Amino acid sequence: MTQPVPPAFAERHIGPGDAETEEMLEVVGASSLDALIDAAIPAGIRAEKPLDIEAAASEQAVIDELRAIADENTVVTSMIGLGYYGTHTPPVVKRNILENPAWYTAYTPYQPEISQGRLEALLNFQTVVSDLTGLDVANASMLDEGTAAAEAMTLMRRAAKAKEGAVLVLDSRLLPQTVGVIETRALPLGIETVIVDLDDIDSADALSFAVDGKPVFGVIVQYPGKDGEIRDFRKLADAAHGLGALVTAAADLLALTLLAEPASWGADVAVGSSQRFGVPMGFGGPHAGYMAVGQKLSRTMPGRLVGVSVDVEGKPGYRLALQTREQHIRREKATSNICTAQVLLAVMASMYAVWHGPVGLKNIALHAHGHAKALGEALAAGGVDVTTARFFDTITVSVPGRAAEITAKALENGVNLCVVDDDTLSISTDETTVLGDLVAVCDAFGVEAPTGVDTVEPDFGDVARTSEYLTHPVFHAHRSETAMLRYLRRLADRDYALDRGMIPLGSCTMKLNATTEMESITWPEFASLHPFAPADQTKGIRDLAGQLSAWLVEITGYDEVSLQPNAGSQGELAGLMAIRAYHRANGDDERTVCLIPSSAHGTNAASAAMAGLQVVVVKSASDGSIDMDDLRAKIDKHGDRLAAIMVTYPSTHGVYEDTITELCELVHAAGGQVYVDGANMNALVGVARPGHFGADVSHLNLHKTFCIPHGGGGPGVGPVGVRSHLAPYLPNHPLAAEAGPSTGVGPISAAPFGSASILPISWAYIRLMGSAGLTAATHLAVLNANYIAARLRDSYPVLYTGENGLVAHECILDLRELTKISGVTVDDVAKRLIDYGFHAPTMSFPVAGTLMVEPTESEDKGEIDRFCDAMIAIRAEIQDVIDGKVAVDKSVLRGAPHTAHSLAGEWDAEYDRMTAAYPAGVDPRAKYWPPVRRIDGAHGDRNLICSCPPPEAFEESED
């Protein structure tokens, strides 16, 4: 298959030039790139024709196209509310976090010693949420408010130890998208939800009567409600607790600066969104959701949790705590399939709170409330029936038969209102609301506008906040921009991101996120759109989403793609739910078995459990491939109940298995569906299409293959692609008919198009690369991985290879025998790599005691050689232990990583300072210094601290 010449941009995206490519091919032993690809990839799966995607003429041409698309959107003042609000991103935060590659190109902080900056920022976020909700422990963010509420549902079901048939009670004033996501997630788990008007529920008997006497495991309320009303839920909480149920408050963080914290009136869990803390609406995302719980629930709470521990010198250090809850360890027994957070957005929200402090946040809340109050009084004075009595920022008005007329007039005046029905409107104010907006709304109603706004503290009576919040010094110390700028710089300097060097993480695809691709995400035409704005105002972003979907269809060989899932985990769930719905539509309700290889990503098993499927594990053969004999046996055993198989391709072991087409045929013959996890799509784009070689459904990771940056552990986008027979069961949305088929499974994410504001990144990448560039990227990703395998094979065995001794886009280095004879572990190698200036490869996945390396196509030969040289040097250090020159516990490997502070103090190590700090190949002028030494994870789990510790803790550690 003759490939066209890649565009000029591809030379910027792809690391190795022509000369370096030839040198690497020689080391690998391939005569050409085409010969390498022919030898590595089974002929049976190869694409029959090249991709048909035209490349843009230049980077400037792409910017011009995006400008034209953006101009198709209409940005007006949004007063729609429903969980999405205008906000002012502090410029110091926008420039130094959102637009700063030191923050947006970092990976999930699984190597805590080189992630101390973002871990501190996340601890700040957790403290904000914990303080405002009054609950003991908050996690490091969720995907959005809707999915956070759905996670609260399953948390309460586990914790309440409910009787068989217990139901979940939903407040009738919950946000509609939240209800939709909960109901979507409840169905496969067999959870019954009951929507109840909770206004008059003041006893356990009344609550029981409202659900026809059924047992109740949980209640979820909106605080304030979607109608804007602030309700006192004390009696309701007592009633729920009297029935043995738990209570979740979906709470507005900004409102909590004025309202009694949920913990004070009996909430066990709080969930919501931090969007209005400086993160633009962005047509729905990404935004950092949150969850907070009481201490008793902390060890079963889903999501990532930052905790405080100590390093080997006893100094405080941050790390991810209680990881044994997570799917990558517990698989189908995990608390959820959430393996990502919205770190970049949580960092922005936390720094919004740091910048404004408690007084500033309260003033912003008073501004929003004051404008809502002034509007409500003006409308009431003009004879409009304002039905909301006690409100924060949203009022509901009754306008019999006039809703459409008033909305149209308001739009003429540049304002969007929220249409509840033909007779009812709701109107929300926010940080950005000005008097002129109130004038525009009042004109639409035909009433006299207010002439001013009073922002004095409201009298909320029993639901007014009386407790302090954000008392930690971090929320008071950075009032000047100079101080804030330096704080953000100090935190960034404590981290390691792609702007420093290669992050060779297998399975995670840490590749270039080009500046041109990132440029448009802050444009107001994308960033300032409300997700429920009228369709004719959002033509540009919808067209962009449609074109991106069409390109992904071309790349994958599927027939339809939904962009709604806002993480790979959500894409997995959407795909599996489509499979379940397909079987149900065919009368095959009993098909509930999901086959999953033993090597699979932990999310696969967790997602299958969430979709109501029974996980059955398929063994791996000695070469790492799927054991086809065991697969046949499992199909024979479960054939009539077989719903699907989930496989990753190329395999999680980094190999193109030539049995994939046979696997698909076997599963289809038994009536099952084939789910190909798209985590390794970086090895397939332009060379093979899952939808053509036998798969029925895949999710893709736009934050891997398609260049959306990881942002320190989120944002992500996990589109799901399906063949035509599954298309009727893709996600849809209750507030946007065009977001999916009417026969769909319901919303997977809170917003109709998920994290829409970052879709222009992947759109720009594909448009810049075109068919030839995308294919060349795959070729070079495979070459780079095989070059590393070839260079390191003599030092570390490469665990699995394909038929011709080649790997795909990643390779697994086997340290198990070295560990057995030396005592040096993969942890030791990972921490020693920090001294050499590298982020470690993926540790002990998919095989314990190994390192999985993925260089991507973006790393040039010089950086790859630097990594290989470091690994070879570390192998020599291991040999010193094997030869008895040094005991492993006294070795430089076990002492790693080394801080500058540790070298300046008393030195009692058996190796010298220069060996510790400047091993071979490290440029003293470019040395990265970790801020802490090796962190004690077990100590942090035994002594759980998940909010900002007092400054004295750090002062004492220095002493």
Side-chain angles (χ1 to χ4, degrees), residues 872-886:
I872 292 168
I874 289 171
R875 177 62 181 85
E877 293 171 349
I878 297 173
Q879 191 63 41
D880 286 345
V881 176
I882 295 171
D883 293 343
K885 295 179 180 178
V886 62

Side-chain angles (χ1 to χ4, degrees), residues 65-100:
E65 283 188 58
L66 282 168
R67 278 290 180 195
I69 291 170
D71 287 344
E72 293 291 312
N73 297 324
T74 304
V75 179
V76 302
T77 297
S78 175
M79 301 182 80
I80 296 172
L82 291 180
Y84 301 92
Y85 305 91
T87 183
H88 294 306
T89 306
V92 67
V93 172
K94 177 183 175 183
R95 173 64 62 87
N96 294 288
I97 293 179
L98 180 59
E99 298 177 341
N100 183 352

Side-chain angles (χ1 to χ4, degrees), residues 827-912:
D827 262 2
D828 295 329
V829 175
K831 305 313 178 188
R832 183 58 171 153
L833 274 168
I834 296 172
D835 290 334
Y836 282 85
F838 281 101
H839 193 296
T842 302
M843 297 192 306
S844 293
F845 175 83
V847 179
T850 67
L851 293 172
M852 184 160 62
V853 185
E854 180 182 355
T856 82
E857 70 276 11
S858 294
E859 300 298 340
D860 60 32
K861 181 175 178 291
E863 184 71 354
I864 293 173
D865 280 335
R866 190 172 75 88
F867 171 75
C868 291
D869 292 343
M871 288 295 292
I872 292 168
I874 289 171
R875 177 62 181 85
E877 293 171 349
I878 297 173
Q879 191 63 41
D880 286 345
V881 176
I882 295 171
D883 293 343
K885 295 179 180 178
V886 62
V888 65
D889 60 336
K890 301 292 185 182
S891 70
V892 68
L893 293 151
R894 188 60 51 85
H898 298 87
T899 62
H901 183 269
S902 69
L903 270 67
E906 183 178 341
W907 189 259
D908 59 2
E910 295 186 4
Y911 48 90
D912 60 62

Side-chain angles (χ1 to χ4, degrees), residues 228 304 362 370 376 390 402 490 549 622 650 691 711 776 884 890 912 948:
R304 290 179 175 144
K362 185 173 183 178
R390 184 168 57 180
R402 296 185 61 212
R490 283 198 303 274
S549 295
S622 59
K890 301 292 185 182
D912 60 62
C948 294

Side-chain angles (χ1 to χ4, degrees), residues 757-782:
S757 69
I758 55 177
L759 296 180
I761 301 171
S762 295
W763 184 96
Y765 169 66
I766 294 173
R767 186 75 178 98
L768 284 163
M769 294 289 278
S771 303
L774 292 169
T775 305
T778 302
H779 288 182
L780 267 296
V782 174

Side-chain angles (χ1 to χ4, degrees), residues 536-572:
D536 60 0
Q537 295 177 17
T538 57
K539 182 179 184 301
I541 187 65
R542 292 169 192 269
D543 286 350
L544 182 145
Q547 191 167 15
L548 176 59
S549 295
W551 287 338
L552 295 178
V553 163
E554 170 67 13
I555 288 166
T556 61
Y558 290 118
D559 299 304
E560 296 284 346
V561 167
S562 169
L563 297 171
Q564 189 183 114
N566 54 8
S569 57
Q570 305 305 96
E572 287 183 15

